[in-house]
Amino acid sequence: MDHKNCKTEQEVSSYYYNFGIISFVNMLLNTDDLHFENLISSDEYPVLVDVETIMSNDINRIDFSNAGSIISHLLNSTVLRSGLLPTFVSFGGDNEGFDYSAINGEKDVELPYKVPRIENMYRSDMRIHYVHPHMHNENNQVRLKQTVVNPHRYVKEIVKGFCNAYKKAISLKETLISDLEFFNGIQSRILLKNTQQYSMVLRTSYHPIFFAKCTRKNKVSAFYRKKYRYKF
């Protein structure tokens, strides 16, 4: 699927109306992880390219003594869970965080943690250097011809699409419930950690020090399975 600019103002309005529809559908299906890398703007259609967490479950227990845990649970019960609408994430410390939502998504974001990168590839002074990674994405950005569109101007269209889809679902309630029975008992992926963390855990397990003795690698695997429920 290719990113395509809108050619008319009507196409832009239709895009955000359709965005409201998919916002409702993914709330209904309890989908999450729909950040700016998982959506492509193509003419008047927002196209999702990664819905592996569709019908996901929230297995985290609520800590009623922790305000953050309660707030997180409440937000996960709303339309904000999907990540399609403005979603601000912070990594703690002094960093300001950024909006990684599909509707917005900042163009160039420097993440606050470091990852290994190879410098001077194929040279005698080749080395591994740790740098702050950048997230780049423009495929989710809506453009009218060549001009980036501000989604805040189309809140009414989004709300209209969401409400119309909601009303349609209510009118087809019994049919939808019957059709969804087909999915009872299926297995779906639960995203416990973000992709970067999964990747770093796997890369760590491949370090030569862990291959010198199998017991070392087994200990690393056992640690992450117990602490983070990762599977190798």
Side-chain angles (χ1 to χ4, degrees), residues 26-54:
N26 284 284
M27 183 186 75
L28 184 67
L29 297 177
N30 219 38
T31 313
D32 58 15
D33 198 41
L34 299 179
H35 50 77
F36 65 86
E37 292 180 309
N38 290 339
L39 181 138
I40 296 175
S41 167
S42 185
D43 291 327
E44 58 190 291
Y45 302 104
V47 182
L48 297 174
V49 294
D50 185 353
V51 288
E52 63 181 351
T53 58
I54 192 171

Side-chain angles (χ1 to χ4, degrees), residues 94-156:
D94 297 329
N95 75 89
E96 297 179 355
F98 64 97
D99 179 7
Y100 71 100
S101 65
I103 196 172
N104 192 18
E106 298 184 25
K107 184 176 179 181
D108 185 7
V109 177
E110 181 182 271
L111 300 179
Y113 52 82
K114 292 185 176 182
V115 296
R117 291 284 187 269
I118 297 178
E119 285 190 348
N120 307 324
M121 181 74 79
Y122 306 122
R123 289 171 32 176
S124 61
D125 58 346
M126 182 173 66
R127 69 184 183 119
I128 295 178
H129 181 57
Y130 285 82
V131 299
H132 290 283
H134 283 248
M135 296 181 69
H136 305 276
N137 194 59
E138 297 184 6
N139 288 335
N140 70 307
Q141 299 286 351
V142 182
R143 287 182 173 80
L144 177 55
K145 297 179 180 178
Q146 297 299 324
T147 304
V148 176
V149 174
N150 182 352
H152 295 91
R153 292 177 49 207
Y154 297 89
V155 172
K156 290 183 179 179

